[in-house]
Amino acid sequence: MPSAPAERVRETPAHLAALVPAALGHLALTGTALTASVDPVGARLDSLVFSRGDREPVEVLFRREAEPDREEDAPGSNGQWHRRYLGGWHTLVPHSGDERVVDGIAQPFHGEAAWRTWEVLSVSPASVRLGLTLDSVPIRLEREFGITGSTLVITQRVNSLGVRPQPISWAEHPAFAPPLVGPGLTVTLGDTPLPLHIPAPPAAHGAFAAYATGGRGIAELDNPEAGLRATLTWDAELFPYAFVWQEHRLSQGSPWHGHTDVLALEPSVRPYDPEDERLGPLVIQLGETVETTFALSLN
């Protein structure tokens, strides 16, 4: 796999600097209300800090330290993924979910793009663009992060490099943390309130559910108790499903250890379980480029 090119981390406003990670190679974006950090490994949004006027800045995304692999891990990539999982916002291409073999090619848990180091194509104070050519399928990806006011915009392009149509799967995996995630949080998908249970500590709960979007690619995460509301939007024609993963101190073993508090809301092109032997239902035609945008607004 290619090594990460040398990048520089840009300066951030003094009142936000303490909350922005200083990890080597991470790229910082700054705006009037948001400060973000992008990790070239997986083109992952590592941090998103929201500045709310006179109130303390708040980290919106779930973040954690990776754990080392263990000899007793089950073979394959599933255990490695969870031990190495850093949180944030991943893109899962050309596969999402459990590892599988398709057309004789092994696809790791949550897809090759999330494991690879992407090339940094351009950097400015409020924009970062990265690219990656996949090995497992003839696909070229470009992912661009931008900040406008209190909105983060991610634009992703998927380009076919092959000689035949290429089916893929694609999901986005933003994971949110307290104080946005807490007992006061409600999540509305389209026009439908979701039946979530988020207990106050020390009570525990965990769940995973898949929903059809009903033609509206919008989810509102509203927590009046925390004074936070996040609105996530996407193209529901391209991503007609959304998954909700919850872990609230339920899993006692590695890697969650009974103290993890996270909720992920994941737009997807397909249900969680593959529908057939193809990688996924999204077919990139010869020479075609599919471009789409995800936006996360905070207030």
Side-chain angles (χ1 to χ4, degrees):
M1 295 182 185
S3 58
E7 299 101 23
R8 56 195 177 95
V9 178
R10 295 179 176 272
E11 294 183 357
T12 58
H15 70 293
L16 298 181
L19 290 178
V20 175
L24 181 64
H26 285 201
L27 305 159
L29 297 83
T30 60
T32 55
L34 294 177
T35 298
S37 173
V38 177
D39 182 357
V41 178
R44 181 181 63 90
L45 183 67
D46 175 70
S47 172
L48 186 64
V49 175
F50 179 37
S51 181
R52 304 177 288 172
D54 295 335
R55 303 179 67 180
E56 286 293 318
V58 60
E59 172 64 66
V60 177
L61 297 179
F62 172 71
R63 302 173 67 231
R64 67 182 290 271
E65 296 293 329
E67 295 184 6
D69 296 336
R70 297 181 177 179
E71 292 183 0
E72 62 267 28
D73 278 349
S77 59
N78 291 27
Q80 292 177 356
W81 168 274
H82 287 94
R83 291 195 188 280
R84 299 177 185 181
Y85 179 59
L86 297 171
W89 182 338
H90 287 87
T91 185
L92 311 181
V93 181
H95 170 61
S96 62
D98 294 338
E99 62 181 19
R100 60 191 295 232
V101 176
V102 177
D103 296 329
I105 303 296
Q107 298 289 342
F109 185 84
H110 277 352
E112 179 188 350
W115 294 74
R116 293 277 303 279
T117 299
W118 294 46
E119 177 188 2
V120 178
L121 302 176
S122 64
V123 181
S124 70
S127 177
V128 169
R129 185 167 60 95
L130 306 99
L132 176 69
T133 300
L134 298 177
D135 289 334
S136 60
V137 291
I139 290 291
R140 170 74 180 176
L141 304 172
E142 288 195 5
R143 187 167 176 86
E144 184 170 0
F145 299 82
I147 290 176
T148 302
S150 61
T151 298
L152 171 85
V153 177
I154 300 177
T155 301
Q156 185 148 305
R157 302 170 191 88
V158 180
N159 176 239
S160 170
L161 304 177
V163 296
R164 62 180 182 178
Q166 178 61 58
I168 64 169
S169 184
W170 181 357
E172 294 290 313
H173 196 291
F176 301 100
L180 175 61
V181 175
L185 177 67
T186 61
V187 178
T188 303
L189 180 62
D191 298 317
T192 304
L194 299 184
L196 304 181
H197 174 53
I198 305 175
H205 179 68
F208 181 86
Y211 301 93
T213 64
R216 294 196 64 206
I218 181 170
E220 293 189 356
L221 297 84
D222 188 14
N223 191 336
E225 294 181 9
L228 287 169
R229 183 168 69 246
T231 302
L232 178 65
T233 58
W234 66 91
D235 181 351
E237 184 175 352
L238 191 59
F239 296 85
Y241 300 94
F243 310 142
V244 178
W245 166 53
Q246 294 178 254
E247 170 61 44
H248 309 295
R249 301 168 296 279
L250 181 66
S251 301
Q252 298 298 315
S254 177
W256 310 128
H257 302 295
H259 57 69
T260 297
D261 205 357
V262 57
L263 183 147
L265 201 151
E266 312 166 33
S268 175
V269 300
R270 63 163 171 82
Y272 186 82
D273 293 321
E275 299 171 291
D276 52 39
E277 296 304 312
R278 301 179 302 170
L279 262 178
L282 178 59
V283 179
I284 314 298
Q285 301 296 330
L286 177 62
E288 180 185 16
T289 297
V290 173
E291 179 176 318
T292 196
T293 297
F294 308 90
L296 180 64
S297 298
L298 294 161
N299 52 54

